[in-house]
Amino acid sequence: MNGTPEAGKFVLFDVDGTLIDAVANQRRVWGTWAGRYALDPDEVYRVALRTRPMETFAQVAPDRDPQECLAALHELEDDDVRSGTYTAFDGASELLAALPRTAWALVTSNYEHRVRGRFARTGLPVPDVVVDAACVDEGKPSPVPYLLAAERLGARPRDCLVIEDAASGVRSGLRAGMTVWGVNAPVAVEGVHRHFRTLREAVPDIVDFMSGSRSGGRVRSS
């Protein structure tokens, strides 16, 4: 890769759906969880895609103890990290290996021990800063997770590039006052500054951003 990272430029990555393809794992975990409570797995998964777990439980199993529901979900997720099959999106390993550990972070709605487990399974490096669900009281689409990552990196929001695949994450990055690029989606999520159908297509431009040669605020699709 060409280009030397410029001081003061930072990249903040979502994890699932952005760097790691975990759709099948998520659907399997939620399907198994739904089966334990005799719920429709498709409906549960539909709700889970747009809400945090406690909000999901409130909608799909309002008569159940939410802490019991959460414990069951955590058990299934931890088992999946140990036994499931994970794949890093094309370009992820090459890109992350090219970035200084102090110039990028992971911002995830999952938990750090699971992220580390998945990264170990896929051979991806882990940066110095990981903001997970345990770090914040407000998850995406609140700006709090991305603002916390910037703070821990010593970065100004305007110098941060967010890489996301989901609408809630895009809104989180935009509300944090950051540049947001969307990846791994056939069409652009509303609000993104640039859209790439795959992470691989975005790799050269992310490197350019880090070297200080990013394109302006113009909305583009690649």
Side-chain angles (χ1 to χ4, degrees), residues 12-36:
L12 312 180
F13 294 96
D14 173 51
V15 178
D16 294 337
T18 297
L19 296 174
I20 289 182
D21 186 354
V23 171
N25 304 75
Q26 292 169 339
R27 182 177 286 277
R28 181 169 55 251
V29 165
W30 277 109
T32 303
W33 182 90
R36 289 190 178 185

Side-chain angles (χ1 to χ4, degrees), residues 185-206:
V187 296
V189 174
E190 182 178 359
V192 295
H193 296 103
R194 293 191 63 185
H195 167 67
F196 301 86
R197 289 182 297 273
T198 67
L199 177 66
R200 164 59 68 187
E201 292 177 359
V203 168
D205 295 81
I206 295 171

Side-chain angles (χ1 to χ4, degrees), residues 137-213:
D137 292 327
E138 298 179 30
K140 305 172 187 178
S142 165
V144 170
Y146 279 112
L147 288 174
L148 179 58
E151 178 184 334
R152 290 185 174 180
L153 286 169
R156 297 174 300 182
R158 69 186 186 190
D159 292 323
C160 295
L161 171 62
V162 169
I163 307 298
E164 270 281 359
D165 73 299
S168 62
V170 168
R171 289 197 298 272
S172 177
L174 292 173
R175 290 173 180 175
M178 301 175 180
T179 299
V180 182
W181 292 355
V183 298
N184 297 333
V187 296
V189 174
E190 182 178 359
V192 295
H193 296 103
R194 293 191 63 185
H195 167 67
F196 301 86
R197 289 182 297 273
T198 67
L199 177 66
R200 164 59 68 187
E201 292 177 359
V203 168
D205 295 81
I206 295 171
V207 173
D208 285 346
F209 176 92
M210 291 298 290
S211 66
S213 58

